[in-house]
């Protein structure tokens, strides 16, 4: 009798625990379903999910056998993209070991329908221009692609850090940083130029060059502005003269007070400097550059002529009054995109949203900031933007803040197409 009574009490307790857990699971499932439904409803009007991946896979040549150390699925993520004609380029950065390819391409389709989001393909990535051009340790190949841009002549500009495993305990400093230009017009994939940055511009042991904005007046008269998030400065490249130098200013450094923030309840810490940069469109003669450190909410402006001034090459330091603080963004952001009409797009990371605002050469403060899209499911860490040349703006969304804890049973990386933006590349005159 005593035994029965004890078992009865135990069963009652277990039943209460199970019941409580069932209620908890039901609430969690309900909330998750609601968020997913909300995301779908939002996407009908604001955006479409074009592609999404749980894990990243590559089309590796049949004669190549990767061992487990060379390919660790959990360490592969999609960060950057570029679009031209019917192709999309994607960067899989070598932040951690086990990333066999750093630059790939997949097909791009611009015709979207509302039902497309119910059929989310996860295409296999094709190494660009081939697997050999992604070989680790070959300094003629790409080591860590970290910035992409397309110019009006159908050329893909790729910035290679030269260093890999930068989030591991030991970074491998394999090669000098470089800029590689490919001819991608009409389906071509030809490497046509390589520029190696001097050590004083992009130190092989410490640079993390990221994000690039290219301004071409002619095919050879081009300028490139590149952010270095590690050294908190800009790299300026004169393509016509094949020269480069740096520009520094206190506004490019991270703000420790803004380095810790939450994304959908997950705390992240990023003490990085200047990262997002947006160049004025050709309509405004590429006359100004907007930027912000990752660990900051402030948007800054500097004149392009100031950055191109030969005197800047002597000491690389901007004067205090060369930079204008335009005001606060709603939250921290990563990549920027500038339209042909001068409208700037950027992320509000803590609120899982995309913001836009109008800019012009005379601006001294941020204009009205409008929320373009928002989702706690699809827009976790909107990281990089790219125009498709046909009126749509694409972006990557990645669980970057969970890079070392992504769940392979969930979708971790997405390519989003913002709808109704009606804008094209910044170098277009319309």
């Amino acid at each position: 009798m005593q035994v029965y009574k004890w078992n009865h009490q135990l069963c009652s307790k277990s039943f209460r625990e199970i019941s409580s857990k069932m209620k908890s699971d039901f609430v969690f499932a309900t909330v998750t379903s609601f968020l997913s439904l909300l995301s779908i409803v939002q996407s009908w009007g604001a955006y479409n999910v074009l592609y999404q991946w749980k894990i990243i896979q590559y089309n590796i040549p049949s004669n190549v056998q990767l061992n487990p150390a060379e390919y660790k699925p959990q360490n592969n993520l999609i960060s950057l993209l570029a679009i031209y004609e019917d192709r999309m380029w994607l960067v899989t950065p070598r932040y951690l070991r086990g990333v066999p390819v750093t630059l790939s391409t997949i097909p791009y389709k611009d015709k979207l329908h509302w039902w497309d989001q119910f059929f989310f393909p996860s295409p296999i990535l094709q190494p660009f221009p081939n697997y050999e051009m992604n070989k680790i340790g070959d300094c003629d190949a790409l080591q860590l692609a970290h910035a992409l841009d397309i110019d009006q002549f159908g050329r893909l500009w790729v910035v290679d850090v030269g260093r890999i495993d930068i989030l591991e305990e030991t970074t491998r400093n394999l090669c000098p940083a470089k800029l590689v230009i490919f001819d991608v017009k009409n389906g071509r994939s030809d490497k046509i130029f390589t520029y190696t940055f001097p050590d004083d511009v992009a130190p092989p042991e410490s640079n993390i060059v990221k994000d690039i904005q290219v301004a071409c007046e002619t095919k050879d008269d081009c300028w490139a502005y590149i952010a270095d998030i590690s050294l908190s400065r800009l790299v300026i490249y004169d393509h016509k003269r094949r020269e480069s130098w740096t520009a520094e200013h206190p506004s490019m450094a991270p703000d420790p007070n803004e380095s810790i923030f939450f994304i959908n309840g997950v705390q992240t810490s990023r003490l990085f400097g200047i990262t997002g940069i947006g160049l004025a469109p050709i309509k405004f003669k590429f006359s100004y550059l907007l930027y912000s450190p990752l660990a900051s909410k402030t948007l800054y402006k500097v004149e392009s002529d100031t950055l191109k001034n030969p005197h800047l090459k002597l000491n690389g330091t901007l004067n205090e009054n060369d930079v204008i603080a335009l005001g606060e963004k709603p939250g921290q952001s990563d990549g920027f995109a500038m339209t042909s009409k001068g409208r700037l797009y950027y992320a509000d990371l803590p609120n899982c949203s995309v913001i836009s605002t109008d800019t012009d050469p005379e601006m001294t403060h941020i204009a009205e900031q409008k929320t373009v899209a928002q989702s706690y499911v699809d827009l976790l860490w909107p990281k990089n933007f790219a125009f498709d040349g046909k009126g749509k703006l694409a972006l990557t969304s990645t669980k970057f803040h969970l890079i070392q804890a992504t769940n392979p049973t969930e979708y971790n990386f997405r390519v989003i197409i913002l709808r109704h933006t009606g804008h094209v590349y910044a170098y277009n005159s319309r």
Side-chain angles (χ1 to χ4, degrees):
M1 191 71 177
Q2 181 67 31
V3 174
Y4 171 79
K5 182 178 180 181
W6 182 85
N7 282 336
H8 175 73
Q9 290 174 338
L10 180 61
C11 290
S12 298
K13 181 180 179 182
S14 299
F15 178 79
R16 288 195 301 270
E17 289 177 345
I18 294 172
S19 177
S20 177
K21 186 178 187 303
M22 289 177 62
K23 290 179 182 178
S24 176
D25 290 346
F26 175 77
V27 171
F28 177 78
T30 302
V31 171
T32 302
S33 299
F34 174 76
L35 289 175
S36 299
L37 179 61
L38 179 62
S39 174
I40 292 175
V41 172
Q42 289 172 323
S43 70
W44 285 345
Y47 65 88
N48 288 102
V49 177
L50 179 60
Y51 297 123
Q52 61 180 359
W53 295 262
K54 295 178 180 179
I55 62 171
I56 308 303
Q57 295 178 299
Y58 307 90
N59 185 13
I60 302 297
S62 58
N63 63 327
V64 176
Q65 299 295 322
L66 298 178
N67 61 49
E70 293 172 316
Y71 174 53
K72 299 181 178 181
Q74 70 274 18
N75 289 350
N76 289 253
L77 70 145
I78 288 174
S79 61
L80 312 179
L81 81 165
I83 302 171
Y84 190 75
E85 294 175 344
D86 60 354
R87 284 187 293 176
M88 175 183 293
W89 287 264
L90 296 171
V91 165
T92 44
R94 288 179 170 133
Y95 292 152
L96 298 167
R97 293 181 181 273
V99 181
V101 175
T102 188
L103 182 62
S104 303
T105 187
I106 57 175
Y108 172 71
K109 60 175 184 177
D110 67 305
K111 300 297 183 182
L112 294 173
H113 305 283
W114 66 266
W115 58 82
D116 285 339
Q117 60 187 308
F118 293 103
F119 303 94
F120 296 130
S122 303
I124 294 175
L125 276 54
Q126 178 67 42
F128 179 86
N130 49 51
Y131 181 73
E132 290 72 24
M133 190 61 192
N134 288 265
K135 186 178 180 181
I136 293 176
D138 182 351
C139 292
D140 290 330
L142 299 171
Q143 302 304 299
L144 196 171
H146 218 214
L148 305 176
D149 201 7
I150 300 277
D151 67 23
Q152 64 265 50
F153 304 105
R155 297 178 300 185
L156 175 68
W157 298 57
V158 182
V159 176
D160 177 17
V161 178
R163 311 168 64 224
I164 66 173
D165 305 338
I166 59 177
L167 294 185
E168 298 277 7
E169 290 185 5
T170 302
T171 298
R172 288 191 277 174
N173 304 317
L174 301 177
C175 303
K178 61 182 178 289
L179 172 65
V180 184
I181 302 177
F182 296 91
D183 177 8
V184 296
K185 198 169 185 177
N186 299 323
R188 290 190 287 269
S189 302
D190 303 326
K191 184 173 73 167
I192 56 177
F193 180 77
T194 298
Y195 174 81
T196 300
F197 292 103
D199 289 356
D200 61 334
V201 172
E205 297 80 21
S206 58
N207 91 85
I208 306 181
V209 282
K210 177 191 173 295
D211 207 351
I212 180 175
Q213 296 286 287
V214 177
C216 291
E217 296 288 347
T218 67
K219 202 166 186 178
D220 198 48
D221 187 9
C222 299
W223 293 82
Y225 305 94
I226 305 164
D228 189 326
I229 66 174
S230 174
L231 300 178
S232 300
R233 63 189 187 185
L234 277 169
V235 173
I236 298 93
Y237 170 64
D238 181 350
H239 185 58
K240 188 174 184 178
R241 296 174 179 81
R242 309 303 199 251
E243 292 182 320
S244 63
W245 56 91
T246 61
E248 296 185 50
H249 189 272
S251 60
M252 300 177 186
D255 180 353
N257 296 322
E258 300 291 355
S259 64
I260 298 176
F261 49 96
F262 287 84
I263 298 179
N264 200 21
V266 178
Q267 180 177 304
T268 182
S269 177
R270 292 290 182 269
L271 191 63
F272 287 134
I274 179 172
T275 175
I277 53 177
L279 182 64
I282 196 170
K283 172 183 178 180
F284 297 139
K285 300 180 179 179
F286 303 120
S287 59
Y288 56 91
L289 191 78
L290 304 178
Y291 65 86
S292 179
L294 179 54
S296 175
K297 294 180 182 177
T298 305
L299 184 66
Y300 297 96
K301 174 187 173 186
V302 61
E303 300 295 327
S304 300
D305 284 345
T306 301
L307 299 173
K308 294 189 288 186
N309 191 322
H311 295 293
L312 187 61
K313 290 187 285 186
L314 298 177
N315 59 21
T317 302
L318 295 170
N319 296 324
E320 182 178 353
N321 58 0
D322 286 335
V323 174
I324 300 174
L326 299 174
E328 297 291 300
K329 301 180 279 88
Q332 293 81 351
S333 52
D334 206 337
F336 286 0
M338 183 71 79
T339 75
S340 59
K341 298 180 180 179
R343 189 159 189 83
L344 183 71
Y345 284 81
Y346 46 96
D348 174 3
L349 295 179
N351 292 301
C352 300
S353 60
V354 176
I355 309 292
S356 71
T357 188
D358 288 321
T359 75
D360 62 67
E362 307 303 321
M363 69 182 299
T364 57
H365 63 277
I366 300 180
E368 180 185 3
Q369 302 180 73
K370 299 180 180 179
T371 299
V372 176
Q374 196 274 339
S375 171
Y376 290 105
V377 176
D378 296 327
L379 295 176
L380 293 175
W381 202 292
K383 187 166 182 60
N384 180 242
F385 299 85
F387 294 101
D388 71 349
K390 302 169 186 177
K392 297 184 181 68
L393 179 60
L395 64 96
T396 54
S397 173
T398 172
K399 292 181 179 178
F400 181 70
H401 58 300
L402 299 174
I403 179 172
Q404 291 172 288
T406 50
N407 187 339
T409 66
E410 300 175 352
Y411 287 110
N412 296 296
F413 319 109
R414 293 177 173 87
V415 171
I416 308 290
I417 303 294
L418 296 180
R419 304 177 63 182
H420 313 304
T421 57
H423 297 301
V424 290
Y425 297 107
Y427 54 68
N428 287 85
S429 57
R430 59 184 176 89

